[in-house]
Amino acid sequence: WRPAASLGKMAAEASAVPVKGEAPPSLSGPESEPFWRRYLARLGALRSAPDPSQAPGGESGRRTELHLVFDQLISETCGPAGAAGKEAPRPEDVCDLLVQACKLVPLNQEHLVNKVCQLIHHLLNRFQVTVDDENLKFLVPYFISALKQCSSWTHVEILQALAASVYNNGPKCQKYLPNLLGENGLLVHFSSPAQPDAELKRAAVHSTANLCLSVPGQLYLEDPYKEICFQIFLSVLQSSKGPGVDDITFCMLLQNALKGIQSLLNSGEMKLMQPDQLGSLLAVLKKCMFHGLPGVNIDMPAVLYPTLLPQYDSRSLVKQETSEVCSLKPLVQNRRKKSKGKQKGKQEKEPKEDEDCREGSEKPKLSGDSQQKPGPDVWRLSLDETWAVPVKDHLPVHTLGWKRISSSDSEYSDAECGMQSKTRSFQATVRQGALSCFLSTVKSIEKKVLYGYWPAFVPDTPGIGSPQSLSLMTIALKDPSPKTRACALQVLSAILEGSKQFLSIAEDANDHRRAFTPFSVAIASSIRELHRCLLLALVAESSSQTLTQIIKCLANLISNAPYSRLKPGLLTRVWNQIKPYIRHKDVNVRVSSLTLLGAIVSAQAPLPEVQLLLHQLTPSGLGDSGSSTPHFSGVPERQGKAPGGPPLSMEKAPAELCWLIRLCISLVVLPREDCYSDSDTGSVSNATILEPSPVRLESLQVLALLVKGYFSVSQSYLLELGEVACRCMEEMDPSIQLHGAKLLDELGMGIIEQHKPDSPVALDQRVPVALVVTFWTRMLNGPLPGALQNSQHPMLQTSTCNALSSILPEAFSGLPADKQILCITVLLGLNHSENPLVKAAAARALGVYVVFPCLRQDVMFVADTANVILTSLSDGSPNVRAKAAWSLGNLTDTLIINMELLGQSFQDEFSDLLLLKMLRAAIEASKDKNKVKSNAVRALGNLLHFLQPVHIANPGFSEPIEEAVQALISTVRSEATMKARWNACYALGNVFKNIALPLGEAPWTAQAYDALTSVVKSCKNFKVRIKSAAALSVPAKRKHYGTPEQFSQIWGALVVALQKSEDAEDFLEFKYSTSLRTQLCHALLHLLSLTDEADLPAVKRTVAKHGEVIQSYMLQYVKLGAEDDETGVGESFCQRDELLKKAIEHVRGIEELSTCPMKRGAVACLEEVLKIHSASARLTET
């Protein structure tokens, strides 16, 4: 038989062992069973044979037979020829065969051990088999014993077999970990930095990485083993390529280490808690991100520390060009180049480069038919002078020397060029692996920790004469592999995602002229540099997939950057650059371009810069860009009519056309003009129909965002947009229907916002109510009613319910009577839907309708609404109960409004039984979750305010009234959300307004005051304190405050609260401190104006002790006036003066009647305040 070494080499070359994820070959059709049975039978025969020494040929013959069987197995299961017409075997058959093979191979037969390990590695990878538990229990101990007993030359094959066997079996190998990863574990030894054999080290690291693969639902590595594995991988990544180690082996070693760390991070169990652990990992990841990148050789420190300043810049550049423009042109042009025809000469023989890498054998030239010089629009990127590609760009892009060499004129042979290409491919894979690992790192650590390393990975504008630091954008601009560039952009997007709070501090609206650079200016500079680099990458990119990532990255940046604090111009450049890509040949690029436009119109809307962009009359640059290079030439507007409908009403064009709205409308409803790329064909049935569904959906989202953020621009297209929404709801695609309903909802909300009393829009600039009535009449005559009743599509019903709730109240009263009845009837019916989403939306819509002026006085409608809301309030869905509680709060608000406007007549018509049911339901709801509780207590306050003496005298109401007040008191005192406690304080204030209640006499009075005084002194939320102080100032008579002791307690609590009004645990609460003091002073003066002679001693003691504090804050109170709406007091200067004088006169009158007048009491203190204020006012007048 052949020598084992040559056999092993032959088998390795023949098998070309695939990685996990390849499609398994065909291995058995009709002859599958005989194929595996034949080999199982041969192995079984060998096992059952008598003593090998007694058999023909002896031990040598047995070895020869095993070698032959293993060689035939490898040969017949590799390559398309050997697998022709055969399907894959069952996993259990493969495992059974391998175990039988191992049982036939004793460990002292090292050549056979080597061969059987090759077979195991080959078959498990070839057929994507995961070893089952029983066979794993035999194989892993076998490999451990082989590693301990066999010679070192067999260890690589044994480790490869071990790696294939433990793949996806890491949790099942716990009992073998001490031997593998223990203190003197085999894998620890073979992967140590002192290991001289690089191939052996690679195989050991590969096995360790496969052990770290996490399997959902199973136990994971224990923490000590995770730490050992992490240190193994980290030391490998920190090591440099040793002498005699070829580039490809070193790249494979790095890949395995990166995959191992990524598996640890993706498991969710690995926490980078050690001080230098994260910094060490980020340092090696940044080093590997640039591994083999032409033109860059980076030297990294061992640890990266969070810092605002660059801590190193020790890169060494392979070549420096004298003109950086010369180095930029090959980069841009190579990405534009398309191969035409066959290469000539020796280039025909040159091996094809890896698909991730761009070919570089030709002289760079412009794409398409543009052999002439590129126009200014291409080179200047449609930017101003600052953003044009300068002679000295901040980001030097160095010519890639290897790209200039073709096989016809180089010193290298074809084989050498092929090896170079293979090496570049492996290096690109390392960079991709590092970026994937970095992405997992970004997702596994807190954002506030990640942003400490922002300068190390995100570009910043370099200082004068300084080179640009290496960052993710360096890879996105310079890496020859489109997949690597896309990976870098994906990582950058992940960093930018959720960065709004971090970036919110950026500011460069004013010129910076200081000796130091503030952090806000540094972040602003980084944002501007990101814009510049991403736009450079946009114009240079040729790969559609990478182009999509660039545009998504821009959208992520725009969604998080604070443009209101930055100098204008950034969004304009992006806006002008993205227009051509809306007509790109690739549908994904078109969709991402629309996403980017949506991000622009939703960024801190409304922005003046975007407002100007929307009013651009000519969509410059909006070309039909079928090529990868956008052409900056305008095209005529698309004309035509939507399928199945009349032409859009474009004849009444508004005075200021918005090209983006016209574009999106055309993309949604007009037929396609051409067939873009092949990737579109799966989205449509034929080429004459509408745009692909993703393009239409994104266009509808852009329209919805435009309406939401810039309604003043969209209102000119109100009827057209309504028609678009109707046509979408008529379609069969559920996604299109939902987005049409969402657009309708946004249109309705935009009208409502514009017509609010506090709206800044002038009356003559608002949409006329008559036009709104026309709009909704058309909607209700269209597909809206049908969509509302489409029980087969509950999501559409939910969206249309939300849309129906956005009707302007003034317009609803102008609708025809049958349309009003239609809306009410449908909503009442949908409250009985079985779908919780529909039921919740219908309950909310009724809560909106019940406050309409034209409906709230209709006792029958209010009663019907109350009944269906009470039904929903007992629903099993928390979402339905939350919406029903909100609607119940609105309904009780309506009761109070009607009581004030209509008086006794409405109260007499409203059913006492229904009122009692509402009270009991609200009490039960107040015990529910916080989202339900917060509105339930609001309803309780209104209901207790609405009760009349006849109700209070009714024995049936006595217990519910007591329970209702106790529910409010317990909510005030509880640890519920601040919104619930705020509403409970507000509700108690409403209860105190009802003079028919026995306030001051009932036992619950003292409990209510105790709860409010406790909150006003100690609650950490100042808005809750404000509401509690407001509630304490509601009672209109002295007897409502109870005994002198109770009055004294309330007075003292308010004074203490005034002293603590600047003690905020949370800095965000400090902005409410002025409002809190205003409300407290108002309450103190209100109490003084009601005080009795029995209350004066307590007042005097407090004033004597804290008179200066009271005097100081009172003076601020009368001086500041009504500057904050948080209090709800709404007093003018004159009203505060009058309140102060009223309190002084009332207390003075009591003191004069007293047998023992008080010296230096409250009167003297307040008179001093009034005196100082009057003097200050006179001084101001003069």
Side-chain angles (χ1 to χ4, degrees), residues 1133-1151:
F1133 288 105
C1134 295
Q1135 288 173 324
R1136 295 189 181 190
D1137 279 344
E1138 290 299 321
L1139 184 60
L1140 179 61
K1141 291 176 181 177
K1142 178 183 176 182
I1144 292 173
E1145 290 173 1
H1146 177 78
V1147 177
R1148 180 187 289 120
I1150 295 175
E1151 287 184 348

Side-chain angles (χ1 to χ4, degrees), residues 28 109 167 174 246 417 429 444 463 473 489 507 558 710 866 904 920 1058:
S28 62
Q109 299 291 334
Y167 185 83
Q174 297 288 337
D246 63 278
C417 288
T429 308
S444 65
M473 281 311 307
L489 292 161
E507 184 174 16
I558 289 170
Y710 298 89
Q904 193 69 31
R920 291 189 182 278
L1058 193 61

Side-chain angles (χ1 to χ4, degrees), residues 186-206:
L186 294 168
L187 295 180
V188 176
H189 170 68
F190 291 137
S191 57
S192 67
Q195 176 59 244
D197 188 340
E199 190 63 36
L200 180 61
K201 188 175 184 178
R202 182 199 65 78
V205 173
H206 186 199

Side-chain angles (χ1 to χ4, degrees), residues 139-145 147-148 158-159 162-163 166 169-170 172-191 204 207-208 211 221 225 228-229 232:
L139 289 175
V140 175
Y142 181 84
F143 298 139
I144 292 173
S145 300
L147 288 170
K148 291 179 178 179
I158 297 171
L159 286 171
L162 174 65
V166 301
N169 277 321
K172 302 173 185 175
C173 298
Q174 297 288 337
K175 63 180 179 180
Y176 310 116
L177 293 181
N179 284 316
L180 295 172
L181 296 173
E183 186 175 353
N184 297 311
L186 294 168
L187 295 180
V188 176
H189 170 68
F190 291 137
S191 57
S207 298
T208 309
L211 278 171
L221 292 179
Y225 292 122
I228 290 171
C229 292
I232 289 174

Side-chain angles (χ1 to χ4, degrees), residues 170-470:
K172 302 173 185 175
C173 298
Q174 297 288 337
K175 63 180 179 180
Y176 310 116
L177 293 181
N179 284 316
L180 295 172
L181 296 173
E183 186 175 353
N184 297 311
L186 294 168
L187 295 180
V188 176
H189 170 68
F190 291 137
S191 57
S192 67
Q195 176 59 244
D197 188 340
E199 190 63 36
L200 180 61
K201 188 175 184 178
R202 182 199 65 78
V205 173
H206 186 199
S207 298
T208 309
N210 281 4
L211 278 171
C212 293
L213 276 173
S214 60
V215 179
Q218 295 190 20
L219 294 175
Y220 196 56
L221 292 179
E222 297 175 1
D223 288 343
Y225 292 122
K226 284 189 292 187
E227 187 64 32
I228 290 171
C229 292
F230 181 80
Q231 290 303 325
I232 289 174
F233 301 139
L234 192 63
S235 65
V236 168
L237 295 174
Q238 289 173 334
S239 63
S240 56
K241 184 166 74 77
V245 179
D246 63 278
D247 289 332
I248 292 178
T249 300
F250 186 62
C251 287
M252 294 173 69
L253 177 62
L254 295 178
Q255 286 176 40
N256 289 325
L258 290 167
K259 287 178 182 176
I261 289 184
Q262 189 172 3
S263 296
L264 289 172
L265 294 171
N266 288 344
S267 70
E269 301 287 335
M270 185 69 189
K271 303 298 181 184
L272 302 172
M273 304 300 294
Q274 306 262 343
D276 291 341
Q277 219 171 31
L278 178 60
S280 301
L281 176 60
L282 293 178
V284 295
L285 289 181
K286 183 163 184 179
K287 178 183 176 182
C288 292
M289 281 172 1
F290 293 95
H291 180 77
L293 182 63
V296 174
N297 183 18
I298 183 171
D299 295 326
M300 288 293 300
V303 181
L304 272 181
Y305 296 102
T307 176
L308 298 178
L309 301 174
Q311 58 180 336
Y312 65 90
D313 194 8
S314 55
R315 57 179 177 151
S316 59
L317 298 172
V318 176
K319 281 193 175 183
Q320 292 248 344
E321 299 292 330
T322 55
S323 172
E324 292 180 357
V325 172
C326 294
S327 69
L328 177 64
K329 289 182 180 179
L331 173 70
V332 177
Q333 295 166 350
N334 274 331
R335 298 188 188 177
R336 299 287 183 217
K337 186 182 56 175
K338 297 179 182 177
S339 56
K340 294 184 178 180
K342 295 183 179 179
Q343 303 287 339
K344 297 182 180 180
K346 293 185 181 180
Q347 282 182 316
E348 294 179 0
K349 302 178 184 178
E350 188 175 31
K352 186 177 180 181
E353 191 176 334
D354 182 82
E355 64 179 7
D356 288 346
C357 300
R358 284 174 254 143
E359 295 179 338
S361 57
E362 287 189 331
K363 186 177 180 180
K365 56 188 178 185
L366 289 176
S367 63
D369 57 354
S370 53
Q371 293 296 330
Q372 69 274 18
K373 294 182 179 180
D377 284 334
V378 174
W379 291 120
R380 293 180 180 273
L381 312 179
S382 289
L383 308 180
D384 57 18
E385 293 180 0
T386 307
W387 285 64
V389 177
V391 177
K392 287 191 176 182
D393 198 342
H394 290 302
L395 187 63
V397 185
H398 298 273
T399 305
L400 312 181
W402 56 268
K403 299 181 75 174
R404 294 179 174 178
I405 301 173
S406 68
S407 57
S408 59
D409 58 2
S410 72
E411 300 177 359
Y412 303 104
S413 65
D414 291 343
E416 288 173 322
C417 288
M419 184 57 67
Q420 286 181 341
S421 175
K422 188 176 180 181
T423 301
R424 290 197 297 269
S425 175
F426 272 88
Q427 289 171 340
T429 308
V430 171
R431 297 196 295 274
Q432 292 161 24
L435 290 165
S436 298
C437 190
F438 188 24
L439 181 62
S440 298
T441 307
V442 169
K443 293 179 178 179
S444 65
I445 60 177
E446 294 184 47
K447 290 288 186 181
K448 63 181 181 181
V449 175
L450 174 67
Y451 293 140
Y453 299 91
W454 176 276
F457 297 98
V458 181
D460 188 14
T461 305
I464 299 174
S466 301
Q468 175 73 302
S469 60
L470 297 178

Side-chain angles (χ1 to χ4, degrees), residues 969-997:
I969 293 170
S970 63
T971 304
V972 171
R973 287 175 169 168
S974 70
E975 295 299 321
T977 60
M978 293 306 169
K979 182 179 180 181
R981 299 178 73 186
W982 186 93
N983 275 347
C985 292
Y986 176 81
L988 281 175
N990 271 340
V991 174
F992 295 164
K993 292 177 183 178
N994 191 343
I995 59 175
L997 290 170

Side-chain angles (χ1 to χ4, degrees), residues 713-773:
V713 178
S714 311
Q715 69 183 64
S716 302
Y717 295 86
L718 181 63
L719 297 181
E720 289 180 56
L721 292 172
E723 184 180 350
V724 170
C726 282
R727 291 185 180 178
C728 289
M729 286 189 285
E730 288 173 342
E731 294 196 19
M732 299 302 294
D733 187 343
S735 298
I736 298 290
Q737 291 177 320
L738 283 173
H739 281 75
K742 175 64 177 174
L743 175 60
L744 183 59
D745 184 22
E746 292 293 352
L747 287 167
M749 293 305 298
I751 295 170
I752 290 175
E753 289 294 326
Q754 197 180 69
H755 281 264
K756 282 185 175 179
D758 57 349
S759 171
V761 182
L763 291 175
D764 59 342
Q765 298 295 320
R766 300 180 183 180
V767 179
V769 174
L771 181 60
V772 181
V773 172

